[in-house]
Amino acid sequence: MSQRQTGVAYRVLADMIAGLLVGAFLGYWVDRWLGWAPYSLVTGLVLGFAAGANNAWRAIRVYSDEAAKGGDEGRRLP
Amino acid sequence: MHSPMEQFEIKRLLDFKIGGLDASFTNSSLWMIIAVILATGVFVMGMRQRALVPGRLQSVAELGYEFIANMVRDNVGDQGKKYFPFILTLFIFILFANVLGMVPYSFTPTSHIVVTFAMALFVFVGVTLIGLARHGTHFFSLFVPKGVPWVLLLLLVPIEIISYFIRPFSLSIRLFANMLAGHTMLKVFGGFVVMLGLIGGWAPLAFIVVFTGLELLIAFLQAYVFAILTCLYLNDAIHLHH
């Protein structure tokens, strides 16, 4: 595995985890604030997952675009 | 036998308080200061000669400078020049903190999420303020994907906003988790060497040797990823597109 691929893999991993964490935190906070338990926690988890996947998708897309062009590896990472 | 997590313990070296806040000088602060002094040393000493044909230390300093200068130029463009000193400082500091953490008996400040989150939050707030200062309210068009029917926007805008606010978390979690996991692994396998003794201890020892090499690579790679993501976020804020 090249250095660059390792970088993209770490980025995707962190994006997905952070998405879930932030979504859960926001949902939990709204639950506590408005007393909607557990609906906003569930909504937050779903939105957070979607946002994390969105960020991860963006990272992969830039990487695969670069790879398809076959150019300049290692300079423009994620 | 020591616990593998003991290496991450914060120890107070000098106790003092500022208005009720615990601002003691810890081993973490000590190693951050060592990183800053060494990094400054490399650049100041390296560039003192200003030789046309660089010596060893000058080569290192120039390599680091050009590496980040190219990164900023490729990813942000000419408008990124203003922010180059900040990104160079960030990269060199994280690199030195990570690599110094590989020295036995040292401490790795970047293995603590407070440290990495503080840096990530600074980048996040800074980049957002730069975007707002440059584009005013037009900055918020970053959250509205183009060419999407308005019904879908109701779903996509919240996702884009959360995506944006995830950034400091993913940035800090990545750096801290890599450092924490790597150093814990090294310590755990170090424990195996002692437990298996003279007969079986060689296998984990060989693994440690290989893994130390990988850890050095990760130390560089994570500093690189932190710097390049800062560049990409800056690019988003300056040019308002993904």
Side-chain angles (χ1 to χ4, degrees):
Chain A
M1 201 153 75
S2 82
Q3 217 170 303
R4 196 179 139 86
Q5 283 169 315
T6 323
V8 176
Y10 277 128
R11 188 175 169 201
V12 168
L13 183 71
D15 276 337
M16 304 281 294
I17 294 173
L20 272 179
L21 287 181
V22 171
F25 175 77
L26 283 179
Y28 178 76
W29 189 72
V30 173
D31 268 346
R32 287 284 295 269
W33 185 36
L34 299 171
W36 288 353
Y39 299 104
S40 53
L41 177 62
V42 174
T43 319
L45 275 172
V46 171
L47 281 179
F49 177 77
N54 185 20
N55 277 350
W57 167 246
R58 218 170 260 153
I60 298 168
R61 197 181 51 193
V62 173
Y63 172 69
S64 62
D65 282 355
E66 289 277 311
K69 270 185 264 164
D72 208 14
E73 271 218 312
R75 263 203 178 169
R76 250 193 79 116
L77 188 93
Chain B
M1 181 99 23
H2 292 302
S3 141
M5 300 312 266
E6 208 181 280
Q7 55 180 323
F8 302 115
E9 216 170 287
I10 297 272
K11 295 187 189 79
R12 285 194 184 81
L13 301 179
L14 293 171
D15 273 308
F16 61 91
K17 286 194 158 115
I18 299 173
L21 276 172
D22 189 356
S24 303
F25 187 82
T26 62
N27 51 352
S28 182
S29 347
L30 176 69
W31 283 95
M32 281 194 253
I33 286 178
I34 292 175
V36 169
I37 290 174
L38 275 180
T40 315
V42 166
F43 276 82
V44 172
M45 300 295 280
M47 295 316 289
R48 208 165 50 177
Q49 303 249 299
R50 293 210 177 82
L52 199 59
V53 180
R56 257 174 292 183
L57 207 56
Q58 193 182 339
S59 296
V60 172
E62 285 182 359
L63 209 67
Y65 182 95
E66 265 165 31
F67 181 63
I68 301 296
N70 283 334
M71 183 194 282
V72 174
R73 194 178 316 118
D74 289 350
N75 290 294
V76 192
D78 281 339
Q79 284 135 310
K81 267 184 191 154
K82 264 194 276 184
Y83 311 107
F84 164 73
F86 172 67
I87 292 167
L88 180 68
T89 312
L90 200 62
F91 172 75
I92 296 290
F93 176 69
I94 296 172
L95 181 67
F96 270 71
N98 288 352
V99 173
L100 278 172
M102 295 302 296
V103 177
Y105 297 104
S106 73
F107 182 86
T108 323
T110 43
S111 66
H112 279 262
I113 197 159
V114 237
V115 177
T116 59
F117 189 68
M119 291 192 287
L121 201 64
F122 189 83
V123 167
F124 176 75
V125 172
V127 162
T128 309
L129 288 181
I130 288 168
L132 281 172
R134 271 179 171 262
H135 301 283
T137 49
H138 189 61
F139 174 71
F140 296 107
S141 70
L142 197 63
F143 301 130
V144 186
K146 286 182 201 77
V148 176
W150 69 270
V151 185
L152 268 180
L153 279 184
L154 290 179
L155 186 65
L156 285 178
V157 170
I159 290 179
E160 287 288 339
I161 292 175
I162 295 177
S163 297
Y164 189 76
F165 280 96
I166 286 171
R167 284 171 171 189
F169 295 95
S170 60
L171 203 57
S172 53
I173 288 173
R174 180 169 32 242
L175 178 57
F176 125 88
N178 269 290
M179 290 300 122
L180 188 79
H183 286 255
T184 311
M185 277 277 271
L186 278 177
K187 193 78 176 210
V188 166
F189 275 82
F192 286 168
V193 175
V194 178
M195 274 191 270
L196 294 172
L198 210 56
I199 303 147
W202 298 99
L205 187 65
F207 177 81
I208 288 180
V209 173
V210 177
F211 198 72
T212 305
L214 184 71
E215 269 303 293
L216 281 172
L217 174 71
I218 288 178
F220 166 76
L221 199 68
Q222 289 307 317
Y224 173 61
V225 169
F226 204 100
I228 201 152
L229 283 175
T230 307
C231 286
L232 291 179
Y233 295 161
L234 202 58
N235 183 43
D236 276 357
I238 290 176
H239 297 118
L240 287 190
H241 58 71
H242 291 300

